[in-house]
Amino acid sequence: FTQPQMPIKCAGAPQKAMYLAADHLRRNAVPADIRFALPGQAMFGVPFYARALDEVVAHYGIAPMFGHELIAVDGDARRARFRVTEGESTRETDLAFDMLHVVPPQSAPAFLRESALADAGGWVDVDRQTLRHVRYPQVFALGDCSNTPNSKTAAAVRAQAPVLAANLLSAMEDRDAVEHYDGYASCPLTTSKGRVLLAEFGYDGRLMPSFPLDPRRPRKAYWWLKRSYLPRLYWAMLRGNLGPDWHRERSFGDALPGSLRP
């Protein structure tokens, strides 16, 4: 299983597929050597959640391969080539596979990436709090193509939309921005069939759970939330119904909760 360089739409998406596969194989007593290749040096960008995911990986016996970026695939020979970064040095290595799960690198569309609206990375260049373009004050942006430094998820758009709408209306009346986006994003990590670890966070790794429960523990209730409620909310959002918003900054102890069973 592979994950490309950030930013991608959801940093947890490649892991969801991996955990579900590992759970299915274990339930059916199928032995497997599972490896997870990712360019970063941790399982998740927010250390609070990364430690919990280390436990999930260990539970399944998955081998994380940090500093590995997939750069080429030979499907006929079943070999994958990786660029490996170790400190200041890089090298390339080939690995054999029976099954390869690939998440490709992602970018904004060319018409934005190659326009004057883009930053050096090819994303629409906005103020991360007001969502107003840093050079063109008549332009606002949100969602996958903006360069806000957070996960590009539906949850992020849900939190961005009211901010952008209020600030756009203020700009049309020559007033200053009245709302600020806190960087909220949500990543429901499916750790097994029946349990989800609900990672919610804001800018700079601030913890912003919707519920006062330790979010590092995979829960059956969150499986229901992801399977039954969030798909309905997604389509409702497209009609302008954003649903309730309970996220807020909360704090939890450093010690992992007693049971992290996926």
Side-chain angles (χ1 to χ4, degrees):
F1 291 81
T2 70
Q3 178 171 306
Q5 288 280 9
M6 293 296 288
I8 64 173
K9 181 167 175 58
C10 177
Q15 296 185 46
K16 300 174 192 181
M18 178 174 65
Y19 299 143
L20 284 172
D23 181 56
H24 177 79
L25 293 171
R26 176 166 290 187
R27 290 173 187 266
N28 290 276
V30 178
D33 174 15
I34 301 177
R35 305 181 187 185
F36 184 44
L38 66 165
Q41 297 298 323
M43 290 298 298
F44 203 74
V46 180
F48 178 82
Y49 294 111
R51 291 180 56 215
L53 293 173
D54 287 342
E55 296 292 323
V56 175
V57 165
H59 169 80
Y60 287 122
I62 296 169
M65 298 164 54
F66 299 119
H68 281 62
E69 180 185 7
L70 180 68
I71 57 175
V73 177
D74 185 338
D76 293 334
R78 292 191 174 183
R79 297 192 70 82
R81 173 161 293 184
F82 295 89
R83 180 183 296 112
V84 183
T85 301
E86 297 171 327
E88 299 298 322
S89 65
T90 60
R91 59 182 174 85
E92 293 184 3
T93 187
D94 286 0
L95 294 176
F97 64 84
D98 296 305
M99 190 282 291
L100 181 67
H101 182 271
V102 175
V103 177
Q106 297 170 25
S107 70
F111 76 89
L112 285 175
R113 190 172 65 246
E114 299 168 2
S115 76
L117 297 176
D119 65 3
W123 308 92
V124 180
D125 198 3
V126 298
D127 180 275
R128 74 178 199 167
Q129 294 182 321
T130 65
L131 306 180
R132 194 172 193 172
H133 202 282
V134 298
R135 298 186 304 279
Y136 301 99
Q138 73 275 27
V139 175
F140 288 78
L142 79 171
D144 293 357
C145 295
S146 69
N147 68 346
T148 56
N150 65 326
S151 295
K152 301 178 180 298
T153 66
V157 173
R158 184 254 170 268
Q160 291 170 351
V163 173
L164 186 146
N167 290 342
L168 178 59
L169 291 172
S170 294
M172 293 170 66
E173 298 173 356
D174 293 323
R175 294 185 289 113
D176 292 334
V178 294
E179 297 290 341
H180 292 82
Y181 173 52
D182 59 12
Y184 172 75
S186 173
C187 184
L189 287 148
T190 309
T191 57
S192 67
K193 183 179 180 181
R195 292 179 185 269
V196 164
L197 187 157
L198 186 57
E200 297 176 273
F201 45 91
Y203 285 143
D204 305 317
R206 290 181 298 157
L207 305 181
M208 294 186 165
S210 296
F211 310 102
L213 305 172
D214 193 316
R216 292 169 293 184
R217 177 176 292 176
R219 300 178 189 273
K220 293 181 179 179
Y222 296 159
W223 169 268
W224 173 87
L225 186 78
K226 180 174 174 61
R227 187 173 185 269
S228 301
Y229 173 69
L230 293 183
R232 293 190 180 97
L233 177 61
Y234 177 87
W235 294 108
M237 284 170 52
L238 299 183
R239 297 191 296 271
N241 182 2
L242 301 182
D245 183 6
W246 298 311
H247 87 269
R248 67 179 180 86
E249 191 164 0
R250 307 175 194 266
S251 60
F252 299 87
D254 291 335
L256 293 172
S259 174
L260 287 174
R261 185 176 71 84

